[in-house]
Amino acid sequence: MAERDPSTSAFVVLFSSLLLLTVVVGEEVGKSGRFPLVVSTWPFVEAVRAAWRAADNGLSSIDAVVEGCSACEELRCDGTVGPGGSPDEHGETTIDALVMDGVTMEVGAVAAMRYVKDGIRAARLVMKYSRHTLLVGEWASAFAISMGLPGPVNLSSSESIKKWSDWKENYCQPNFRKNVIPENDCGPYKPKHDTEVAIKGTLTESCETGKIEYRSSLIGHHNHDTISMIVIDKTGRIAVGTSTNGATYKIPGRVGDGPIAGSSAYADDEVGGCGATGDGDIMMRFLPCYQVVESMRLGMEPERAAKDAISRITRKFPDFVGAVVAVNKNGSHAGACHGWTFQYSVRDPDMDDVQVFTVLPS
Ligand code: ASP
């Protein structure tokens, strides 16, 4: 998870949730089969409460997902969702978001969206008012504004600006470049050819450590997070949604797994739903949430399906950091993770409030 700034309301909300029951799980849980059900990555308790209120009041799963993820954006969950979070190399905050309806298999998504703070609502507008699935960059912003969302607005905050200037002072380390030689500490960069000798002391030396090791060092509890949410509404319809700023210090133009259906989230109400968080540049090569849902379709329980999806990644990328949470159509849920301890949040009719489940890395 990303670091938390005590000055943000997200901090207050998160720690107020210490009163909540925290459960360490190794087995799948939640077999009551009673709906609605809301499941979200991380202890994004207020987001789950918002989605729960919507679903409990009879809203559809898709509307409840939008309410839940939108609450997280407003609270700037962990400083990596919504406006004011994770700056890119240029110091700008951008947003990746997705919604998917597991009944119709419709998807709406925005990627690297600038100047509009409402990522999940923008994704919903793409689904509702276009035949497309994914809009990117300034054109995503223009579409969202033309459909009624506020903007253009500056997505930076004092926290994101400070984070970025500290990073600049640290010679723009760490970063996502590889096999390059910087002309100056922070670039511009040019490709490093095999015959060229690395310049010692700054970024080039770090890049020399090898691509996977170097990339992995960038993904941890301090530079990214995604809310990925699964809702089963009172009638059993399943929808999923995600919202994130993506990876901190990403190269401008980078699109992570957040807006990619099957990677950060996937739903099919004949089977279940899935949410993911972690190193999106790796995960989007494996579509772990598609894998989870399809494994459950073939008969796997959520826990096995989640572990299987993670192990398919770690077999090829042993230093991978990430997690998935799987929910089947009966409401059973389980998580699996690698490289960090993962937590997810749940509210169902048997609970008085949101419960946070902890999954230890396998
Ligand atoms: N998966 C997101 C990304 O890589 C970040 C995260 O979930 O932590 O953009």
Side-chain angles (χ1 to χ4, degrees):
M1 279 187 294
E3 74 193 355
R4 299 174 177 94
D5 183 333
S7 67
T8 63
S9 53
F11 176 89
V12 176
V13 168
L14 184 65
F15 284 87
S16 71
S17 70
L18 281 175
L19 295 174
L20 298 166
L21 180 63
T22 297
V23 188
V24 178
V25 287
E27 310 229 320
E28 88 201 38
V29 281
K31 295 179 191 240
S32 73
R34 291 173 52 215
F35 302 131
L37 171 72
V38 179
V39 177
S40 162
T41 51
W42 303 120
F44 295 149
V45 171
E46 282 305 321
V48 174
R49 285 186 184 136
W52 169 262
R53 276 193 300 274
D56 202 38
N57 284 334
L59 263 60
S60 70
S61 52
I62 197 93
D63 287 338
V65 159
V66 170
E67 290 310 309
C69 292
S70 184
C72 216
E73 290 169 352
E74 277 164 33
L75 291 164
R76 296 171 46 206
C77 283
D78 273 355
T80 59
V81 178
S86 321
D88 65 16
E89 276 189 357
H90 293 166
E92 184 176 359
T93 298
T94 57
I95 292 178
D96 291 347
L98 162 146
V99 285
M100 178 170 190
D101 184 331
V103 180
T104 63
M105 305 307 276
E106 285 176 294
V107 173
V110 291
M113 185 173 70
R114 313 173 74 187
Y115 315 135
V116 175
K117 60 182 176 46
D118 303 295
I120 197 78
R121 292 192 193 282
R124 177 78 171 112
L125 292 172
V126 172
M127 180 196 274
K128 201 166 174 184
Y129 296 116
S130 85
R131 293 180 193 277
H132 296 310
T133 293
L134 171 62
L135 297 181
V136 304
E138 277 189 52
W139 292 111
S141 325
F143 179 82
I145 293 167
S146 73
M147 291 294 112
L149 287 181
V153 294
N154 185 349
L155 297 186
S156 295
S157 64
S158 50
E159 293 89 358
S160 65
I161 291 166
K162 164 125 188 22
K163 205 167 192 175
W164 180 66
S165 42
D166 289 350
W167 176 76
K168 295 278 277 185
E169 267 174 35
N170 192 36
Y171 311 105
C172 298
Q173 296 295 322
N175 65 47
F176 285 87
R177 307 275 174 169
K178 70 178 188 188
N179 302 326
V180 292
I181 293 187
E183 272 177 32
N184 298 299
D185 289 333
C186 291
Y189 304 95
K190 63 174 187 171
K192 181 173 82 64
H193 302 295
D194 292 345
T195 51
E196 289 181 278
V197 178
I199 301 163
K200 278 202 167 292
T202 61
L203 174 142
T204 311
E205 193 174 47
S206 302
C207 289
E208 291 287 290
T209 60
K211 65 176 181 178
I212 294 175
E213 290 74 20
Y214 182 61
R215 277 285 291 104
S216 298
S217 70
L218 283 171
I219 301 297
H221 286 270
H222 299 287
N223 57 12
H224 66 126
D225 263 349
T226 296
I227 180 164
S228 186
M229 178 176 275
I230 302 128
V231 174
I232 308 182
D233 67 22
K234 282 183 170 170
T235 65
R237 292 171 299 186
I238 305 178
V240 290
T242 61
S243 183
T244 181
N245 297 148
T248 312
Y249 317 127
K250 63 190 175 186
I251 299 171
R254 182 258 193 187
V255 172
D257 61 322
I260 308 299
S263 192
S264 70
Y266 196 69
D268 182 337
D269 73 344
E270 292 171 5
V271 181
C274 168
T277 179
D279 187 343
D281 291 304
I282 301 295
M283 283 193 290
M284 65 198 292
R285 303 170 191 173
F286 291 82
L287 301 179
C289 275
Y290 179 78
Q291 185 65 52
V292 161
V293 170
E294 291 310 310
S295 295
M296 292 194 298
R297 191 192 304 278
L298 295 176
M300 278 191 204
E301 292 303 318
E303 187 188 2
R304 204 169 141 224
K307 283 185 170 161
D308 171 72
I310 292 293
S311 72
R312 286 168 188 262
I313 302 175
T314 56
R315 277 204 294 277
K316 304 274 188 184
F317 293 90
D319 297 321
F320 165 73
V321 177
V324 295
V325 55
V327 181
N328 71 17
K329 66 178 181 184
N330 301 321
S332 296
H333 49 83
C337 59
H338 191 268
W340 58 10
T341 296
F342 172 55
Q343 290 186 299
Y344 67 95
S345 306
V346 179
R347 176 78 206 266
D348 71 21
D350 295 333
M351 299 171 180
D352 292 333
D353 198 353
V354 179
Q355 287 187 12
V356 177
F357 292 78
T358 298
V359 184
L360 302 175
S362 44

